[in-house]
Amino acid sequence: MNSAKNIFKTIILLCLLTAPASSSALDDSNTLTLSLQDAMARASQNNVQVLLALEKIKAAKGQSLQSASSLLPQVSGYLLQERLSRNLAASGMAGTSTDLILGPYNHFEARAQLVQTIFDLSAIDSARAAHVNVRKTQLQETLAKQQAAWQAAIAYLNLLQAQASLRG
């Protein structure tokens, strides 16, 4: 299955590389001359596997930040402001009706909480594993670029060989 994909990619690349050269309707200003280095550079930048590897790197970095967040202090806050009136008669106090109503008055409350875990071995291990995963995905991206460049080089050389055999 994988070799069939490689053959298909090679055929597509050969068609793309030979199309401008074989078209007689194009003049020299529209013809694309492509060197081996250009073909390898374009393949390593535009290959689907390379683009997928770049997205995996972004995802791994996000997971790494998320796992490292458990090692950071956790801060939370609470704010409350309200305007109150209290009826003391409802609480069972005796007196005249005007003396038993307090307010209106303002009530403001602010709370902050800071929590820091001193030592959490599982969180440390999780953060380390996430960092290793980022490095692994970066290496996979490098490998994907190299493989795409080599496939382009092989297709380019096959094209040169086919052109040479056509000439004579």
Side-chain angles (χ1 to χ4, degrees), residues 3 7 13 22 41 58 62 67 89 116 124 147 154 163:
S3 64
I7 292 170
L13 186 58
S22 65
K58 290 178 187 177
S67 66
Q116 173 67 56
I124 293 170
Q147 287 175 341
I154 290 168
Q163 286 177 344

Side-chain angles (χ1 to χ4, degrees), residues 112-126:
Q113 181 179 13
L114 174 72
V115 177
Q116 173 67 56
T117 304
I118 302 296
F119 182 76
D120 186 357
L121 185 59
S122 66
I124 293 170
D125 288 342
S126 176

Side-chain angles (χ1 to χ4, degrees), residues 3 21 34 40 42 53 61 70 79 88 92 102 107 167-168:
S3 64
L34 192 64
M40 292 174 70
R42 287 175 184 236
K61 284 181 179 179
S70 63
L79 290 173
L88 298 178
L102 293 177
H107 174 251
R167 287 186 191 134

Side-chain angles (χ1 to χ4, degrees), residues 79-141:
L79 290 173
L80 172 71
Q81 179 171 347
E82 55 188 349
R83 188 153 175 88
L84 300 171
S85 294
R86 299 277 184 206
N87 186 352
L88 298 178
S91 301
M93 298 188 86
T96 63
S97 64
T98 58
D99 294 338
L100 296 177
I101 295 180
L102 293 177
Y105 61 93
N106 294 324
H107 174 251
F108 178 78
E109 186 176 344
R111 298 179 190 186
Q113 181 179 13
L114 174 72
V115 177
Q116 173 67 56
T117 304
I118 302 296
F119 182 76
D120 186 357
L121 185 59
S122 66
I124 293 170
D125 288 342
S126 176
R128 285 181 183 163
H131 182 70
V132 168
N133 189 38
V134 169
R135 182 67 182 133
K136 179 192 80 164
T137 55
Q138 289 170 339
L139 291 172
Q140 287 175 338
E141 184 251 348

Side-chain angles (χ1 to χ4, degrees), residues 24-44:
S24 61
L26 294 176
D27 60 355
D28 287 337
S29 65
N30 291 334
T31 302
L32 175 66
T33 56
L34 192 64
S35 68
L36 177 61
Q37 290 81 13
D38 291 339
M40 292 174 70
R42 287 175 184 236
S44 65

